[in-house]
Amino acid sequence: MSTRTVLGACPHDCPDTCALQITVEHERVIKVQGRAEHPSTHGALCTKVSRYPERTYHAERLLHPLKRVSRKTEAPAFVQVTWAEAIADIAARLTAIAARDPQAIQPYSYAGTMGLIQGEAMAGRFFNALGAARLDRTICASAGGAGLAATYGHKLGMHTRHFAGAKLIIIWGSNSIASNLHFWTYANQAKRDGAKLICIDPRKTETADKCHQHIAVLPGTDGALALGLMHELIVHGWLDQDYIERHVDGWDELREKALAWPPERVAATCGISADEVRGLARDYGERDALTAPAAIRMNYGLQRVRGGGNAVRLIALLPCLTGAWRHESGGVLLSSSGWFAPYKNPALERPDLLAGRTPRMVNMSTIGDALLAEASAEFGPRIEALVVYNSNPVAVAPESPKVVKGFQREDLFTVVLEHFMTDTADLADYVLPATTQLEHLDVHTSYGHTDVLMNQPAVAPLGEAKTNTQIFRELAAAMGLTDAAFSDSDEALAAQAFTSDIDMALLRTQGWQTLPIAEAPFAEGGFRTPNGRAQAAGADYLPNYESAQASPELAARYPLAMISPPARNFLNSSFVNVKSLRDIEGEPLIEMHADDAAARGLADGTLVAAFNDRGRYVAKLKVSTRARPGVVNGLGVWWRKLGAQGTNVNEVTHQRLTDMGNAPAFYDCLVQVEAA
């Protein structure tokens, strides 16, 4: 029997970035496991990635280039073509557009793979050489990232493994069991050792079920709660004045703001009790930071609202006020990705190929408006071509009625690199079959730990699938782009991805390399800000765009807040078509509290419509204690074509942006719900 083992890395948008052990038998992958030797993975994989062979060998896997033969408002129809035909036609179309204005060519990509090579290494070179429009990649994390950068100078935090030593863990805006499995292992270890776990989340998640306490705030009020905690820290003297004086700028301004948020005001804003505010503050503040460390694990759900960046800032400042940073098991973590910045090569995507040009920037979160925009002096040329890779915008971008209308333009030339016929691929002019992680080389950083990983290809590409890098090489050649940058192999790109501090030989043999980060990185300050001090000035609470506080007339018509947390068995819109996972997940659901359902005469299991001025989303109702009164949960992100009426929850979300980072405010959304 011909069996071998290949070392890999999980490519998906998850903080865990697991090290993989891939078993190949007779040149077919038969098993994907987590590597026991890797400290962060410790042999465990999530349900999704453990089924990676099922995804790679899926009967509906795209294996040949396809060309559209139907109108975009009709049921999609495609014919198989050769790679030579596809590349020649695409290159001709893009060349003609670029001759008029290359900014009319718009790339659209995100984290379908988090790899540096199959992500933007060659794609970035291609679009830079063309002078195509740039993409502001904001759709997931940029509000929180901007908040951390404003406070600490970069996206930095404590080590995940040290949560195991904490005596209090606040899990804020995260369903860790579903979306951060390996953190949950450490939290659970701390729990067994006597730590108290508190979950703050509008939804009573599976993680909340396992914590000692769940505080169900209204969506978008996390910043108010953080200010309320600061109020109690101040009035009770639960402050580390020495740490504040030596390592925090702007404290006097923040102190004045916090004193305006007593527990009663916080309770009224957040939809919780004043005692919950007082109790949380006591748990967090009335402790010795060195003998009973407190740690906060934020995740990205809480920053998907108008005031998301400021909310992250306020929460991130809490360990500065109590001195929690002094202990390796104290502090806060949202993202660790900033630790990699000194080791990454900023020239990997060859910005020099722009040759001094500064093309316009289009925000991926407002792609609906952008695709419908006419040419103007302010906007620039109308978007004539769209090249989509590593993303499924028709499913994931906000206010999808506009996104769909934009993609349906017959005069828009759309090329999609994909594994499956997603909602976006259904609206393409060409669909090009791309390789999966089991079929290509890549290197990865992480936003949940501090290891660089390498992924080795386990098998040859299936069918006629090609790597993203090869597709862009071939397009570059067909368009006459002759720079040597387009001749670099994937191995050469991997070697260029990092500084010499990263040992490529070690990555090939071991699979990972750990960065030399201090165990308690901010015990003595030393933040990445220009003066090394945490920055508190300017941080404040901002109410949602759509809330009773900010828009009472709108709230009178649409009284329910809707959030769209990820379904447990999917990862964004990936894995939705894996039958075994979809069988576990069931069908698209809208969760609603019994009181809200009774007030509307709605019964569990019936079809209901969540609607507002933007659209109408129909799904099955689940009356559930997972929803708090006044909030409905539209679990996502299902493909639209699998929805009850060909829509998903983004039918009702809007394109307004957050306070920082120009990110979408997905969870800042008011609706009404009625029988469908």
Side-chain angles (χ1 to χ4, degrees):
M1 182 177 291
S2 175
T3 303
R4 56 190 173 86
T5 300
V6 179
L7 304 183
C10 178
H12 290 290
D13 188 1
C14 167
D16 292 26
T17 318
C18 293
L20 305 180
Q21 178 175 302
I22 303 159
T23 303
V24 181
E25 188 174 290
H26 298 305
E27 297 310 308
R28 183 181 177 92
V29 174
I30 62 169
K31 187 183 296 184
V32 175
Q33 300 166 281
R35 291 187 63 194
E37 314 95 297
H38 184 235
S40 294
T41 305
H42 44 73
L45 282 187
C46 68
T47 305
K48 301 177 280 285
V49 177
S50 63
R51 286 171 165 79
Y52 216 82
E54 182 181 349
R55 185 175 187 273
T56 295
Y57 296 108
H58 196 292
E60 297 172 358
R61 174 79 188 275
L62 289 168
L63 299 177
H64 308 283
L66 301 176
K67 180 179 181 179
R68 182 177 210 89
V69 292
S70 60
R71 294 182 62 81
K72 293 179 182 176
T73 52
E74 300 172 347
F78 291 83
V79 295
Q80 183 177 325
V81 295
T82 67
W83 269 107
E85 290 174 291
I87 292 293
D89 193 17
I90 294 167
R93 296 284 295 273
L94 295 182
T95 298
I97 295 169
R100 293 190 292 274
D101 191 331
Q103 295 178 104
I105 300 171
Q106 179 64 57
Y108 195 104
S109 66
Y110 198 63
T113 176
M114 298 290 283
L116 301 186
I117 307 309
Q118 305 304 332
E120 303 302 330
M122 191 59 70
R125 296 178 181 199
F126 176 75
F127 292 112
N128 284 339
L130 286 183
R134 293 171 293 171
L135 184 71
D136 198 3
R137 294 178 171 86
T138 63
I139 204 161
C140 179
S142 63
L148 281 182
T151 309
Y152 292 153
H154 220 307
K155 292 181 280 188
L156 306 168
M158 60 183 286
H159 293 282
T160 304
R161 64 182 181 276
H162 288 322
F163 279 89
K167 295 304 178 186
L168 172 71
I169 299 177
I170 300 174
I171 301 172
W172 203 320
S174 177
N175 186 8
S176 306
I177 289 175
S179 62
N180 196 185
L181 177 64
H182 296 85
F183 157 75
W184 178 251
T185 303
Y186 295 121
N188 214 23
Q189 180 181 331
K191 182 182 177 183
R192 290 194 298 270
D193 292 339
K196 182 174 184 178
L197 272 58
I198 300 173
C199 178
I200 302 172
D201 199 300
R203 182 174 183 257
K204 191 174 190 294
T205 62
E206 296 87 348
T207 302
D209 291 341
K210 302 294 185 182
C211 291
H212 296 96
Q213 184 183 7
H214 172 222
I215 300 175
V217 295
L218 288 169
T221 63
D222 305 271
L225 179 56
L227 283 167
L229 298 184
M230 293 178 187
H231 177 281
E232 294 297 279
L233 297 179
I234 294 165
V235 300
H236 291 285
W238 296 326
L239 297 171
D240 186 331
Q241 293 287 358
D242 175 67
Y243 196 94
I244 294 170
E245 289 172 8
R246 292 200 295 129
H247 304 306
V248 180
D249 281 344
W251 166 239
D252 289 343
E253 176 191 317
L254 182 61
R255 184 179 185 277
E256 183 178 349
K257 290 175 182 174
L259 287 174
W261 284 91
E264 291 74 18
R265 182 184 179 192
V266 176
T269 301
C270 298
I272 58 178
S273 71
D275 283 345
E276 285 178 295
V277 181
R278 294 188 186 97
L280 179 62
R282 186 178 304 109
D283 283 333
Y284 187 70
E286 196 176 26
R287 61 180 52 248
D288 187 305
L290 289 176
T291 60
I296 300 173
R297 179 61 167 112
M298 285 190 276
N299 216 332
Y300 286 108
L302 71 90
Q303 49 97 70
R304 294 187 178 126
V305 293
R306 176 195 176 198
N310 269 280
V312 167
R313 292 201 67 197
L314 292 167
I315 297 166
L317 285 162
L318 288 169
C320 294
L321 306 190
T322 62
W325 281 120
R326 294 184 187 276
H327 195 287
E328 65 182 22
S329 292
V332 66
L333 176 64
L334 172 63
S335 173
S336 62
S337 63
W339 293 118
F340 296 92
Y343 302 91
K344 292 168 73 172
N345 175 12
L348 179 63
E349 298 171 29
R350 294 293 302 272
D352 60 295
L353 294 173
L354 282 167
R357 295 168 293 182
T358 55
R360 70 167 172 206
M361 181 82 77
V362 171
N363 191 320
M364 70 185 309
S365 300
T366 57
I367 191 65
D369 283 343
L371 289 176
L372 298 175
E374 299 292 342
S376 67
E378 180 182 7
F379 181 67
R382 194 173 201 209
I383 296 175
E384 295 185 54
L386 192 65
V387 182
V388 180
Y389 53 104
N390 302 333
S391 190
N392 182 11
V394 174
V396 304
E399 200 169 353
S400 52
K402 288 186 175 180
V403 180
V404 171
K405 186 177 180 182
F407 268 83
Q408 286 178 332
R409 283 174 41 202
E410 293 295 342
D411 64 340
L412 176 70
F413 180 61
T414 303
V415 179
V416 175
L417 285 59
E418 253 301 349
H419 305 136
F420 301 101
M421 290 303 295
T422 62
D423 292 329
T424 304
D426 281 346
L427 291 170
D429 293 283
Y430 278 96
V431 184
L432 305 179
T435 50
T436 71
Q437 189 76 344
L438 301 182
E439 302 160 283
H440 57 227
L441 179 75
D442 219 329
V443 290
H444 293 260
T445 59
S446 174
Y447 62 95
H449 58 69
T450 54
D451 293 347
V452 175
L453 293 91
M454 176 174 278
N455 181 79
Q456 299 282 358
V459 292
L462 272 63
E464 293 186 279
K466 295 187 178 185
T467 61
N468 287 353
T469 48
Q470 183 60 23
I471 293 170
F472 284 110
R473 285 188 197 99
E474 293 184 15
L475 283 173
M479 294 182 69
L481 302 177
T482 59
D483 193 282
F486 298 108
S487 300
D488 286 339
S489 66
D490 286 6
E491 290 77 10
L493 292 172
Q496 296 168 29
F498 300 104
T499 66
S500 59
D501 299 291
I502 302 303
D503 186 340
M504 299 306 293
L506 180 63
L507 292 184
R508 280 189 288 270
T509 56
Q510 178 174 276
W512 76 87
Q513 179 180 339
T514 301
L515 300 184
I517 309 299
E519 297 302 301
F522 305 124
E524 295 298 329
F527 299 99
R528 290 278 179 87
T529 54
N531 66 1
R533 294 164 64 89
Q535 301 298 307
D540 206 352
Y541 165 67
L542 293 173
N544 279 2
Y545 290 113
E546 299 194 356
S547 64
Q549 181 180 353
S551 45
E553 292 184 6
L554 186 70
R557 287 190 290 138
Y558 304 118
L560 296 169
M562 172 174 263
I563 60 173
S564 45
R568 181 172 182 176
N569 294 287
F570 307 150
L571 204 160
N572 301 323
S573 76
S574 296
F575 297 98
V576 180
N577 64 320
V578 175
K579 185 178 185 302
S580 63
L581 293 171
R582 201 163 69 241
D583 287 346
I584 298 169
E585 194 62 37
E587 60 187 311
L589 295 174
I590 293 174
E591 295 175 340
M592 177 181 276
H593 190 272
D595 292 350
D596 291 327
R600 291 161 177 79
L602 301 174
D604 183 70
T606 59
L607 281 181
V608 298
F611 65 95
N612 54 26
D613 292 340
R614 292 178 291 274
R616 184 178 179 88
Y617 171 50
V618 175
K620 185 171 286 188
L621 176 66
K622 185 173 182 61
V623 178
S624 172
T625 55
R626 296 210 180 280
R628 59 151 291 158
V631 179
V632 291
N633 309 319
L635 303 182
V637 180
W638 284 81
W639 290 4
R640 289 169 56 86
K641 67 173 78 177
L642 298 175
Q645 294 187 0
T647 62
N648 68 14
V649 71
N650 279 319
E651 199 77 3
V652 296
T653 56
H654 60 71
Q655 295 180 75
R656 281 179 248 173
L657 302 177
T658 53
D659 54 346
M660 306 173 69
N662 296 317
F666 285 113
Y667 298 177
D668 184 340
C669 176
L670 289 180
V671 300
Q672 180 58 286
V673 177
E674 65 183 12

